[in-house]
Amino acid sequence: MDSLQNKDISKPLIKAVDTDDIVGAVLRIHLIAELLIDSWISARTSCPNIFGSNKKDRILIECSKKISIAERLGLPGNVCKVISKINTIRNDFAHKINPDDIKEDDMVGLIQSATNMVNETSEAPIEDHTLRINDENEVLKYEITIKSPPELNKYKLLMILLLAMKIITNHVAKNHKGKWDSNYSQFDYSVKLSN
């Protein structure tokens, strides 16, 4: 968590929500997912700068390889599958000139992986989760569920990433030697996941 906390994920998270640019949203959500993987690997290897600390000494490894490394270092496989699906969606976007939305097949696969991920934990079923997005005045702007229409897929993608983050942090809290608590109120943004 220290590794992740040193990177301010609130800014790309908020920009992913605020942008009308689906490419920008997908890239930012993927960036956060990859930061989760990097942080897991850094923590498990006790090497905070395992991938380098600046552009000059940065080690570039494909995200799919990092996901495999993280899984071998104990990241739950169901979480890895979800992040792999997010990576696939990002790769689809990276290789299109004018992507206009997330492919329905990709979204169905991601939702199935997320359902499996949630079912293997003590979390409520994925259908019971709601992503509430407030405006700058804390007025409810959107309320998204996994059943929301396809034009809200970027928000469903974000909701699934937030669920993966919650499952990772609960896994860390449960397995931490000091039985670290799982109260993450310091990460209170204008984007909230509830069930």
Side-chain angles (χ1 to χ4, degrees):
M1 285 308 293
D2 290 341
S3 176
L4 189 58
Q5 210 166 6
N6 289 335
K7 299 164 176 79
D8 187 4
I9 63 168
S10 64
K11 289 178 182 144
L13 183 68
I14 291 168
K15 285 182 179 181
V17 169
D18 283 345
T19 186
D20 290 330
D21 174 25
I22 187 72
V23 175
V26 167
L27 292 178
R28 286 179 178 98
I29 291 167
H30 178 268
L31 172 68
I32 295 166
E34 191 166 1
L35 285 173
L36 285 172
I37 295 297
D38 289 357
S39 295
W40 183 271
I41 294 169
S42 293
R44 294 295 295 188
T45 60
S46 298
C47 185
N49 294 319
I50 194 164
F51 298 111
S53 57
N54 57 47
K55 287 182 180 181
K56 289 183 179 179
D57 71 346
R58 186 89 174 132
I59 298 172
L60 298 176
I61 300 175
E62 291 177 9
C63 186
S64 60
K65 301 293 184 214
K66 288 181 185 180
I67 294 167
S68 295
I69 292 168
E71 187 170 11
R72 289 181 181 160
L73 290 171
L75 186 62
N78 53 22
V79 173
C80 291
K81 285 183 179 117
V82 166
I83 294 175
S84 289
K85 295 284 185 187
I86 292 171
N87 188 49
T88 297
I89 291 169
R90 179 257 174 221
N91 287 341
D92 285 348
F93 271 70
H95 299 290
K96 288 183 181 175
I97 294 176
N98 291 313
D100 54 354
D101 206 355
I102 300 168
K103 290 192 298 189
E104 197 55 36
D105 288 353
D106 286 342
M107 204 65 213
V108 168
L110 176 62
I111 290 170
Q112 185 57 58
S113 292
T115 300
N116 295 341
M117 174 185 71
V118 169
N119 289 345
E120 293 178 22
T121 68
S122 58
E123 280 295 315
I126 198 164
E127 297 84 13
D128 294 349
H129 289 272
T130 303
L131 179 68
R132 291 180 179 88
I133 299 174
N134 299 328
D135 66 14
E136 62 275 353
N137 298 314
E138 294 296 316
V139 175
L140 184 65
K141 190 173 171 182
Y142 298 109
E143 191 167 84
I144 292 96
T145 69
I146 213 66
K147 302 263 188 210
S148 292
E151 56 269 13
L152 298 174
N153 278 349
K154 80 169 184 177
Y155 298 114
K156 290 191 271 185
L157 181 66
L158 179 61
M159 182 172 77
I160 290 168
L161 174 65
L162 293 173
L163 276 169
M165 288 175 67
K166 184 177 182 184
I167 288 167
I168 291 170
T169 52
N170 287 338
H171 176 81
V172 170
K174 185 176 89 175
N175 294 298
H176 189 265
K177 290 176 187 167
K179 295 302 174 199
W180 180 51
D181 72 32
S182 57
N183 177 7
Y184 308 108
S185 58
Q186 71 272 25
F187 299 113
D188 191 17
Y189 305 122
S190 60
V191 178
K192 297 184 182 177
L193 180 65
S194 64
N195 60 0

